[in-house]
Structure formats: C-alpha cells, structure tokens
C-alpha cells in the first residue's frame, strides 16, 4: 500500500545510565547517520541548534545514550540508537549556537564487552553466540534476529576468553552469516538471505527520488527518509527504474568492471543506508546500496524470476 509522505516528524531523546532523559525534539536538528552490514558500529553525527549552555554542560556530564526517531506522520520510527562518544558546543554565527554529538551504535559493548566462560563438547555456534552476547547485554546491546547458524558441534570443549566481538566474528565466519549491531541489537543474517520483514517497495509513489543506478558496489538509490529500511532487510526496486552501468571501452576495463546484478523480480538485500535530515531544511533522505539476494549469482547478470 502506498503511503502519503508528508508532515515530517523527528524525536530526539538523550538518556543517562539511570534512564533519566531529556527531550530536545523541539529544537532544530540536523543529522547524518551511516548504517552498514558490517561488524564495526554504525555512526551518527547530530547537530542541535541553540541549546542553552546549562543544558549543554548537563549533556556532557550526565548523558550517555541517544535515540533518534524520524520519518513522516504515516511512517515514523527509530533510525538510530547508540552511545555518546563526543559532545562539542560551538557557535555557527552571531546568533546561533550548536551542540554537536558524535555517537556510535553499541559502541560500549563493541569495545568493552569481554567474555570469560567455557563451552562443553557438543556445543554449537548458537551456543557460542549466546555466550558472547551475554556480556554485551550488560553494556546495553541485546540479542536481535539470529538466523540459523547450523547444527555442527564442537568435537571438544572450548575456552572463551577475550573480546566478545571476536567470538561473534568467528561464529559468523563459520556459519556463512554476517553479524552487526543494529539499533542496540545483535543481528546475524545469512549471506544468501534477508531479514524476515516485509519488503520495502521503492518507486515514485513510495518516495523514490531520482533514478537508481547499477554500480560495482551495488544498486544505488535515494528515497525520502524511511525508517522501515533495515540493514539486511529486503528492498524491491523495479528493474525498469534502474539505469544500467556503462559498458567498458576495453578488455582491461571489462575485467575490473563487474556491476551488481539487476534482478527481474526487483528484490535486493540492503547493505548500507545513510540518513540525512534537517528538521528546518530541505534534507530528508535515505541513500542506500543493495545487492541481489542470491549472493551466489555472478555479478553483472540478470536473474529471471522463477516461473
């Protein structure tokens, strides 16, 4: 169903470790958020205008986490949740001050969660994931969607001591999945699969802006800000809307040029999404890169729909 996308909404909440919060939604907010199907934390750069110096000092000293919700009246939700890394107070001109916040999703858990336990013989990758996730939960990151990681069992016991993220990386490599932290939750998705959510259909009626493009990195597209776009989720773009990559001029260029697959059924896996917004400006977009869901398909070929 097409959704009318008008009347922007934005909600910015900062919180302390004790759960006490402050709402800055009424002020002008600019943001640039980068999310990816990668093991390193997603990042956010947020600028809030004309915060009082007293409030700015409180944020520096007391607050540790941030949640940003954005979208439209008909489609609104969380686009970033994470830990504060740096807070800077400055002046843009003679009248306007700003507070810049740099944040990262699950930064504390990624950098400081340490696992110290043992697994008995017969343990599976899911057991290792649970063991590594336990210390992360104490630092604000919970388990989210975990795809099937297989039934292979350890032939002998295993000592786990070290950074939790390293053991999650091992489990992902052993089970042909990718792992990441998305909005404070650990996520494992099969390399040839997607999250079990409904596909986000992108066309001129649902917010697609300009013309999607076939590139070596993937299918690149821009749309109006949409919180339903999830890394690892399914996106549908009509093949007729995509501009194909230019054919190489030489054989050498052809070897280096391997554009992403354009699917006839239009379904792709979302690899990266970047949100850019200004509550009192023009920016209110998502820039995304996605790939053919069937990762075994050679690049540059079109996949016909079954049947």
């Amino acid at each position: 169903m097409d959704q009318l996308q008008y009347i922007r909404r934005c909600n910015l909440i900062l919180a302390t470790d004790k759960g006490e919060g402050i709402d800055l939604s009424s002020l002008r907010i600019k943001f640039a958020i980068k999310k990816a199907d990668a093991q390193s934390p997603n990042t956010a750069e947020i600028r809030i205008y004309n915060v009082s110096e007293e409030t700015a000092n409180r944020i520096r000293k007391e607050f540790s986490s941030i949640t940003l919700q954005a979208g439209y009246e008909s489609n609104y939700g969380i686009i970033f949740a994470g830990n504060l890394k740096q807070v800077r107070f400055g002046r843009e001109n003679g009248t306007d001050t700003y507070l810049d916040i740099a944040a990262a999703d699950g930064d504390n858990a990624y950098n400081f969660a340490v696992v110290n336990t043992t697994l008995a013989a017969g343990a599976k990758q899911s057991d290792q994931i649970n063991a590594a996730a336990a210390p992360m939960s104490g630092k604000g990151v919970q388990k989210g969607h975990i795809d099937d990681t297989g039934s292979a069992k350890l032939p002998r016991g295993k000592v786990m001591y070290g950074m939790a993220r390293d053991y999650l990386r091992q489990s992902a490599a052993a089970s042909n999945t990718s792992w990441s932290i998305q909005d404070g939750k650990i996520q494992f998705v099969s390399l040839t699969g997607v999250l079990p959510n409904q596909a986000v259909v992108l066309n001129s009626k649902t917010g697609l802006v300009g013309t999607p493009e076939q590139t070596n990195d993937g299918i690149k597209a821009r749309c109006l800000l949409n919180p339903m776009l999830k890394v690892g989720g399914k996106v549908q773009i009509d093949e007729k809307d995509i501009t194909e990559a230019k054919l190489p001029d030489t054989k050498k260029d052809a070897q280096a040029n391997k554009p992403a697959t354009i699917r006839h059924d239009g379904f792709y896996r979302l690899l990266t999404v970047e949100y850019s917004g200004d509550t009192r400006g023009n920016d209110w977009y998502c820039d995304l890169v996605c790939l053919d869901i069937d990762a075994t398909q050679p690049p540059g070929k079109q996949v016909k729909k079954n049947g």
Side-chain angles (χ1 to χ4, degrees):
M1 180 182 295
D2 296 343
Q3 291 182 321
L4 298 177
Q5 299 192 69
Y6 65 96
I7 308 180
R8 298 179 182 180
R9 287 189 64 185
C10 183
N11 188 31
L12 181 66
I13 302 292
L14 281 79
T16 66
D17 291 335
K18 297 180 180 179
E20 300 172 349
I22 183 172
D23 187 343
L24 301 178
S25 307
S26 62
L27 301 177
R28 181 186 178 186
I29 300 168
K30 293 174 66 175
F31 54 83
I33 296 168
K34 296 181 179 180
K35 292 184 169 185
D37 189 6
Q39 296 170 12
S40 54
N42 298 325
T43 61
E45 298 287 340
I46 301 171
R47 173 165 290 191
I48 310 160
Y49 284 87
N50 298 322
V51 177
S52 69
E53 191 168 351
E54 178 184 358
T55 300
N57 288 332
R58 281 192 62 204
I59 291 173
R60 282 198 189 99
K61 296 176 182 178
E62 301 176 25
F63 294 90
S64 57
S65 65
I66 186 168
T67 301
L68 179 63
Q69 296 174 292
Y72 295 88
E73 290 289 345
S74 61
N75 184 17
Y76 173 73
I78 293 175
I79 62 172
F80 182 83
N83 304 119
L84 271 63
K85 296 187 66 177
Q86 184 181 26
V87 178
R88 297 189 305 116
F89 186 77
R91 183 172 294 278
E92 192 167 86
N93 51 50
T95 58
D96 293 319
T97 61
Y98 62 80
L99 186 72
D100 277 350
I101 294 176
D105 186 359
D107 187 69
N108 289 344
Y110 182 85
N111 286 304
F112 303 112
V114 175
V115 60
N116 182 9
T117 189
T118 58
L119 297 179
K124 298 185 291 187
Q125 290 302 328
S126 58
D127 297 314
Q128 179 163 305
I129 291 171
N130 290 335
M136 283 193 162
S137 66
K139 297 187 180 299
V141 171
Q142 308 301 321
K143 282 179 59 180
H145 174 78
I146 309 293
D147 263 348
D148 182 13
T149 53
S151 58
K153 298 181 179 181
L154 295 176
R156 60 185 65 86
K158 180 175 183 177
V159 176
M160 295 177 63
Y161 180 74
M163 301 302 296
R165 67 182 187 229
D166 292 335
Y167 289 100
L168 294 176
R169 184 178 298 121
Q170 289 178 17
S171 291
S175 59
N176 291 319
T177 58
S178 65
W179 87 273
S180 61
I181 300 173
Q182 303 294 334
D183 297 326
K185 293 184 178 180
I186 298 169
Q187 175 174 293
F188 274 73
V189 182
S190 168
L191 293 178
T192 56
V194 291
L195 292 173
N197 55 339
Q198 185 176 358
V200 177
V201 179
L202 294 180
N203 54 45
S204 60
K205 294 181 179 180
T206 60
L208 187 65
V209 177
T211 304
E213 181 183 6
Q214 180 190 32
T215 72
N216 288 5
D217 296 327
I219 305 299
K220 294 185 176 181
R222 165 172 278 200
C223 65
L224 298 178
L225 196 149
N226 188 341
M228 294 179 65
L229 291 168
K230 303 295 184 182
V231 170
K234 188 186 295 185
V235 178
Q236 186 176 17
I237 304 174
D238 193 318
E239 63 168 319
K240 296 179 182 178
D241 291 334
I242 301 173
T243 299
E244 293 187 25
K246 182 181 177 181
L247 292 174
D249 296 327
T250 67
K251 183 177 181 180
K252 181 179 180 181
D253 291 338
Q255 292 174 343
N257 187 59
K258 295 182 179 179
T261 301
I262 297 177
R263 289 187 64 96
H264 284 282
D265 61 10
F267 288 107
Y268 301 91
R269 169 177 169 149
L270 186 59
L271 291 184
T272 70
V273 57
E274 297 185 6
Y275 298 89
S276 57
D278 184 343
T279 56
R280 299 181 189 175
N282 293 324
D283 286 349
W284 208 251
Y285 300 114
C286 291
D287 290 289
L288 51 98
V289 178
C290 49
L291 279 181
D292 168 25
I293 291 175
D294 182 3
T296 63
Q297 176 68 22
K301 293 187 179 181
Q302 293 186 326
V303 180
K304 294 183 179 180
K305 189 175 180 179
N306 292 334

